[in-house]
Amino acid sequence: MNLPTHAPHIHSPTHIGQIMNNVMLALIPATVLGFWLYGWPAINLWLVCVLAALATEALSLHLRGLTVRPTLLDGSAMLTAWLLALSLPPWAPWWIAVIGTIFAILVGKQVFGGLGQNVFNPAMIARVVLLISFPVEMTTWITPITLGSEQAPHFLEGLAITFGSSGTTFDAVTSASLLGHVKVELNRGVDLQAALTGYFIPHDAVWGWHSGSLGETSAVLLFLGGLVLIVKRIITWHIPVAMLIGVLLPAGLMHALNPSHYLGLVPHLLHGGLMLGAFFIATDPVTSPNTAIGQWIFGLGCGLLTYIIRTWGNYPEGVAFAVLIMNATTPVIDHYLRPRIYGRNHKGEALLP
Amino acid sequence: MTRFWQFHGGIKLNGNKNLSSEQPIAKANLPQFLILPLLQHIGVPAEPVVKVGDKVLKGQIIAHCQANDCHLKMSVPLHASSSGTVVAIEPHSVPHPSGLKANCIVIETDGRDEWVECNSITDYTTISPMTLRQHIAMAGIVGLGGAGFPAHMKLKSAGIDTLIINGAECEPYITCDDRLMREYPDDIVTGAQIFRHILGGTQHCIIAVEDNKPAAYSALLQSAQGRVSVVKVPTLYPTGGEKQLIHVLTGQEIGKAQLPADFGIVVHNIETTRAVYRAVKAGRPLISRVVTVTGNGIEQPQNLEVLLGTPIQVIIDQCGRKPDIEQLIMGGPMMGFTLPHDQLPIIKTTNCLIISSTPTLATQQTAMPCIRCGACAQVCPVNLLPQQLYWYTKAKDFKMAKNYHLFDCIECGCCAYVCPSYLPLVDYYRYAKAEIRANEQERQKANLARNRHEFRTFRLAREKAEKLARHQSAAAASQPDKKIIIEAALERVKAKKTHPDSEEKPILEESLL
């Protein structure tokens, strides 16, 4: 009788696992669409990521001498793997997924001290490492061939694509992503309008019917998923809105100044990893600021950097780099931007009568 | 008064108040022994004025706050809750988070419940505020909302323009104020007017009730008849916190280390108001209080008017003890503390007992790492950054914790309630506060020791210098004598030279050397 416990003696029913599960639920529509668009290889890739993540997490927890079960089942490792999978080319080989996932969990998270301790978003670290190390595999995109259609690889062919040697000879149509294509064409001196002709179809882009990463293509589904997270109060709206503004504001401005050279708002919004980044990556609580104003600065920074890298950088896509750079500023933002405390002014001095 | 301000954060809680809110206040049984701690409030303990073996009457002062100037001190006298014999004055377990023992007067009741003569005041408006304050202090009244701040200390300030009677009762489960407001609205309104008279007729007098207690609100509204304003405030934990309620009603924030009185505001609790009413109108000192006895560990949750000093065991038995009690909480589920056993007395600050047959939810989950989700910062009514306080406390960086205004934390528990990692955040803050206070004391001790050492070194040096100076001056003083000796010797030499004496000569020369 009479256990001595701490106050408060009651607790809200939320726990970490629930938060992670909700984020994963919100990712399901975009993921399922990705599976449907890119077929069995995409499913295999996603599975490899998740399994590798759980194995790496379990091993590192064991090596650190911690109880494996509660942390393994909190969903954080699975979520990291899921986000990484969504940002990979859907037909990437298995070892890309394994190397990326191990890097995300081991170097991105556990080396810093595990859940809650990492400075950078683990999935984005892995994506950048893969992009720099394996540029060919990481930029080989395919045109959607829906699951079950005649041209699509069936189950065994899918296994061969994911697990086979790199020279798999499946008859798929590879094509550049829109942002990549535009960058190449502009570098060749081709006019933007000419480059976009036949490449950018807004209706398809909205639903995700174009070549791109496994789960980044459907802006609408990702946006709806993000909306669910905001409604369920798992994330706040500040970072997504700020990040979208950070991209759209300069994009609109530059496009208005020189429409034949700078992409307009719609392609920026619908292509690349912006939607996934704004709602699911940049909002990672561990690596983003805590105060609303801090989140505004963080989000705007993510957006602006994304636009700058996309427009003037060497890479066609900049979400991952932008988020990582802004992750590094999070501690500084949190240090300088503190809310005004009850009974004190903004400097922290007590109010006097 | 129609506009309300809103403090930052706060949480909506499942009240669980209907367990006990529909039961009228009943009288608790007279126990065989009453255990009365000498300190039941913030401040200085009272001094016993009875001896073991003395017969006492109900309402008789058994411990006093030294002399009759109670109203100037952070202390109040203690009264016998029933008639009987003093059987012991000794340390006894008391309901306190520390679990330590404290001095108590134990009375064996005689069952007659015989009152001492009471000194009532029929028309308080003709009595000076000073005398009334003295009267309230002598009645042993302290804040009955939980903190136990002696009531008279909040009645002496000049320049008060707003009196607030706090009927928010925002903690789940607790319904004692709700029942009092429903059953004794006239007492409370009159009590508020007594306060107002003592404070020199404040401009505003507001009784604030959370909107989850409509019956209490309408009862008070009917009694008030426009004499005081009765307002419904939105139900949000911790609106019942003094500073939070002031913010909701006036928009005024009270600075750290300031008192509401400095801003012209005084807040008193519902039951305190009623105790003042009884002390003035009936001359009855504070010898009982209403306690909400609730939880799933008893058959009939209810509100009981309990004599102070009644052992909790007696209360639980009266409410129908279930065999499988797991936990005993004094106070509400957000800020209360667990009791080690039920052999403890009800004291002036016991507003609620939660008797639970299932371990609380908070204990069923293991703590996980903080993911910096910021849910705690969103609900903090003080707008602190609880996660930063947690990280700094965990790293034992108490300087930074202080820098993030750890001491502004009111320990309401909102952060720990919402934490998805089930971290016992409030415990971390209490630990950090205790460590900082201990360090502070250590530092003061070390400073004292250093000062003492430095003074000793200085004193020794000074004494040495003084000694040396004394020797020198003594030497200097003996100098003229030598001259005289030498001159005398020279005189003798001269004399010898004039009268030569060969034998003495070498000796004389030696002495001259």
Side-chain angles (χ1 to χ4, degrees):
Chain A
M1 170 173 163
N2 303 338
L3 294 158
T5 55
H6 56 81
H9 306 279
I10 50 176
H11 200 286
S12 78
T14 7
H15 56 86
I16 288 189
Q18 221 176 341
I19 293 176
M20 303 288 173
N21 290 343
N22 273 313
V23 178
M24 290 190 269
L25 278 176
L27 283 173
I28 284 179
T31 312
V32 169
L33 181 85
F35 290 165
W36 187 62
L37 288 182
Y38 307 114
W40 282 109
I43 299 173
N44 295 338
L45 195 71
W46 180 85
L47 267 176
V48 171
C49 278
V50 169
L51 292 176
L54 292 178
T56 316
E57 177 96 339
L59 182 71
S60 18
L61 289 172
H62 178 71
L63 288 177
R64 288 175 59 202
L66 301 172
T67 22
V68 174
R69 229 182 115 81
T71 313
L72 190 65
L73 297 183
D74 68 14
S76 59
M78 182 159 170
L79 179 58
T80 298
W82 195 321
L83 288 170
L84 176 65
L86 295 192
S87 72
L88 293 178
W91 284 23
W94 66 275
W95 50 268
I96 285 276
V98 170
I99 292 175
T101 315
I102 291 177
F103 205 88
I105 301 291
L106 214 58
V107 182
K109 187 169 109 177
Q110 292 294 346
V111 160
F112 286 93
L115 181 62
Q117 304 272 0
N118 47 302
V119 181
F120 300 101
N121 186 305
M124 289 303 100
I125 287 206
R127 185 183 179 172
V128 163
V129 164
L130 290 173
L131 186 63
I132 293 170
S133 314
F134 311 104
V136 178
E137 286 80 0
M138 285 299 286
T139 51
T140 308
W141 313 103
I142 52 148
T143 331
I145 13 173
T146 50
L147 192 66
S149 69
E150 269 182 43
Q151 299 91 334
H154 54 74
F155 179 65
L156 287 177
E157 284 168 329
L159 286 182
I161 290 167
T162 311
F163 296 98
S165 56
S166 51
T168 309
T169 54
F170 188 82
D171 193 17
V173 184
T174 59
S175 73
S177 68
L178 176 93
L179 295 174
H181 171 73
V182 166
K183 176 137 280 178
V184 170
E185 295 296 284
L186 286 175
N187 284 346
R188 279 174 49 204
V190 177
D191 181 58
L192 184 67
Q193 294 310 319
L196 283 179
T197 313
Y199 232 92
F200 178 61
I201 305 149
H203 179 264
D204 286 359
V206 167
W207 295 104
W209 203 279
H210 55 85
S211 56
S213 300
L214 201 166
E216 285 182 351
T217 57
S218 175
V220 164
L221 294 182
L222 288 168
F223 176 75
L224 289 178
L227 225 51
V228 168
L229 292 187
I230 291 174
V231 169
K232 286 189 147 190
R233 289 167 182 261
I234 286 162
I235 59 170
T236 58
W237 56 272
H238 306 91
I239 292 179
V241 168
M243 186 162 172
L244 293 180
I245 290 176
V247 170
L248 297 185
L249 207 66
L253 196 72
M254 296 310 286
H255 183 69
L257 288 176
N258 188 354
S260 65
H261 193 74
Y262 296 104
L263 270 177
L265 297 182
V266 183
H268 267 297
L269 194 63
L270 302 182
H271 283 268
L274 182 59
M275 278 294 175
L276 186 73
F279 285 96
F280 292 92
I281 308 277
T283 50
D284 168 25
V286 177
T287 55
S288 64
N290 284 125
T291 54
I293 174 125
Q295 292 176 347
W296 264 104
I297 293 173
F298 178 86
L300 283 174
C302 286
L304 272 175
L305 286 171
T306 301
Y307 181 77
I308 289 169
I309 297 168
R310 277 182 177 183
T311 313
W312 296 290
N314 272 330
Y315 287 95
E317 173 57 309
V319 170
F321 292 105
V323 169
L324 288 180
I325 293 169
M326 289 313 289
N327 284 162
T329 68
T330 296
V332 183
I333 292 176
D334 271 345
H335 181 81
Y336 284 106
L337 295 173
R338 305 183 202 170
R340 185 184 71 81
I341 292 170
Y342 169 94
R344 292 184 184 275
N345 62 18
H346 279 284
K347 286 181 193 159
E349 295 155 347
L351 300 179
L352 294 173
Chain B
M1 176 146 316
T2 46
R3 190 192 154 183
F4 293 127
W5 281 260
Q6 207 187 339
F7 55 86
H8 180 265
I11 45 178
K12 288 195 161 53
L13 293 167
N14 180 9
N16 282 313
K17 290 183 186 264
N18 52 3
L19 282 175
S20 57
S21 64
E22 302 314 311
Q23 303 288 325
I25 298 170
K27 274 209 172 338
N29 297 339
L30 182 69
Q32 195 190 348
F33 291 101
L34 292 163
I35 305 147
L36 293 152
L38 294 173
L39 180 63
Q40 303 185 23
H41 52 82
I42 295 175
V44 193
E47 306 257 325
V49 292
V50 289
K51 303 183 301 292
V52 174
D54 282 2
K55 297 265 180 219
V56 291
L57 293 176
K58 184 173 187 167
Q60 181 184 332
I61 290 181
I62 53 172
H64 217 306
C65 49
Q66 304 137 4
N68 280 333
D69 55 349
C70 267
H71 61 293
L72 300 174
K73 295 204 164 116
M74 276 289 273
S75 188
V76 289
L78 179 63
H79 306 77
S81 319
S82 185
S83 57
T85 316
V86 177
V87 291
I89 301 175
E90 61 184 18
H92 191 281
S93 301
V94 293
H96 189 273
S98 71
L100 295 174
K101 292 189 170 188
N103 278 328
C104 297
I105 296 177
V106 184
I107 296 170
E108 184 173 13
T109 55
D110 57 13
R112 287 203 293 268
D113 217 21
E114 194 181 333
W115 271 98
V116 75
E117 198 185 325
C118 293
N119 167 26
S120 62
I121 297 169
T122 35
D123 185 6
Y124 68 87
T125 50
T126 59
I127 311 286
S128 77
M130 173 77 174
T131 315
L132 282 170
R133 271 188 55 222
Q134 167 79 356
H135 186 83
I136 288 168
M138 291 302 285
I141 297 172
V142 300
L144 298 174
F149 197 90
H152 59 272
M153 298 301 282
K154 292 209 283 189
L155 289 171
K156 65 177 175 184
S157 328
I160 303 295
D161 60 14
T162 307
L163 167 68
I164 298 171
I165 306 299
N166 183 350
E169 199 168 57
C170 60
E171 275 242 31
Y173 291 96
I174 309 179
T175 56
C176 53
D177 286 353
D178 184 13
R179 285 313 309 182
L180 280 170
M181 290 187 278
R182 289 200 220 176
E183 295 179 36
Y184 303 97
D186 294 337
D187 296 12
I188 291 160
V189 170
T190 313
Q193 287 182 301
I194 296 172
F195 279 142
R196 205 173 183 180
H197 171 68
I198 298 173
L199 291 167
T202 59
Q203 196 188 341
H204 306 287
C205 177
I206 310 158
I207 304 181
V209 186
E210 271 193 351
D211 56 14
N212 61 355
K213 292 179 269 293
Y217 171 74
S218 34
L220 282 171
L221 204 60
Q222 209 171 5
S223 291
Q225 303 286 349
R227 289 175 295 173
V228 297
S229 32
V230 183
V231 298
K232 250 195 267 190
V233 292
T235 301
L236 184 73
Y237 181 84
T239 296
E242 186 176 67
K243 291 180 173 181
Q244 280 64 43
L245 185 61
I246 290 172
H247 193 178
V248 168
L249 294 173
T250 68
Q252 179 66 57
E253 293 185 16
I254 310 299
K256 180 71 185 165
Q258 304 282 326
L259 291 172
D262 300 330
F263 293 82
I265 302 165
V266 159
V267 183
H268 281 283
N269 164 267
I270 288 288
E271 192 161 3
T272 316
T273 312
R274 192 225 184 187
V276 163
Y277 165 82
R278 292 217 287 201
V280 172
K281 285 282 177 178
R284 298 204 163 171
L286 181 66
I287 49 132
S288 68
R289 68 158 297 147
V290 180
V291 179
T292 302
V293 191
T294 185
N296 56 8
I298 48 170
E299 300 289 347
Q300 183 51 66
Q302 58 189 305
N303 286 287
L304 290 175
E305 174 119 31
V306 185
L307 293 176
L308 298 175
T310 305
I312 288 169
Q313 180 198 11
V314 175
I315 308 292
I316 299 180
D317 288 341
Q318 186 175 350
C319 296
R321 174 192 297 268
K322 285 187 189 168
D324 52 349
I325 296 174
E326 287 271 351
Q327 200 170 46
L328 202 55
I329 297 167
M330 184 174 130
M334 291 300 287
M335 292 182 75
F337 54 92
T338 50
L339 299 176
H341 52 79
D342 58 8
Q343 310 296 309
L344 300 162
I346 296 287
I347 60 170
K348 290 177 182 176
T349 52
T350 312
N351 51 1
C352 181
L353 287 174
I354 303 173
I355 297 117
S356 185
S357 64
T358 43
T360 53
L361 185 62
T363 59
Q364 290 169 3
Q365 294 276 345
T366 42
M368 297 286 290
C370 168
I371 56 165
R372 291 169 38 87
C373 65
C376 48
Q378 282 168 28
V379 298
C380 178
V382 187
N383 212 0
L384 294 165
L385 291 170
Q387 76 278 26
Q388 298 299 114
L389 294 176
Y390 160 74
W391 285 108
Y392 290 126
T393 302
K394 206 176 167 215
K396 302 205 173 181
D397 189 348
F398 299 123
K399 205 180 146 200
M400 280 306 282
K402 228 174 131 180
N403 190 305
Y404 274 78
H405 300 295
L406 169 71
F407 281 92
D408 286 30
C409 169
I410 57 169
E411 300 182 11
C412 64
C414 288
C415 52
Y417 177 84
V418 298
C419 179
S421 297
Y422 285 73
L423 292 164
L425 293 169
V426 181
D427 275 16
Y428 274 94
Y429 308 147
R430 287 191 183 137
Y431 162 72
K433 286 177 180 174
E435 285 293 302
I436 292 170
R437 286 195 191 109
N439 288 346
E440 196 70 19
Q441 278 174 3
E442 269 313 296
R443 230 190 48 220
Q444 278 173 4
K445 259 191 198 164
N447 276 347
L448 192 67
R450 201 183 54 239
N451 289 345
R452 272 187 185 154
H453 175 74
E454 279 170 1
F455 180 71
R456 181 172 178 271
T457 326
F458 164 75
R459 181 173 55 82
L460 289 179
R462 190 188 61 194
E463 280 173 3
K464 206 174 164 187
E466 279 172 0
K467 214 169 167 182
L468 195 70
R470 251 200 331 271
H471 281 212
Q472 276 170 352
S473 65
S478 62
Q479 217 68 30
D481 295 350
K482 266 185 184 169
K483 273 182 187 162
I484 293 167
I485 292 168
I486 291 164
E487 275 168 18
L490 288 173
E491 290 283 313
R492 283 203 300 276
V493 171
K494 270 184 187 167
K496 286 259 164 94
K497 274 180 182 168
T498 46
H499 311 284
D501 188 339
S502 55
E503 280 165 296
E504 270 183 289
K505 203 176 175 181
I507 303 166
L508 195 70
E509 274 179 346
E510 229 168 82
S511 76
L512 270 175
L513 285 168

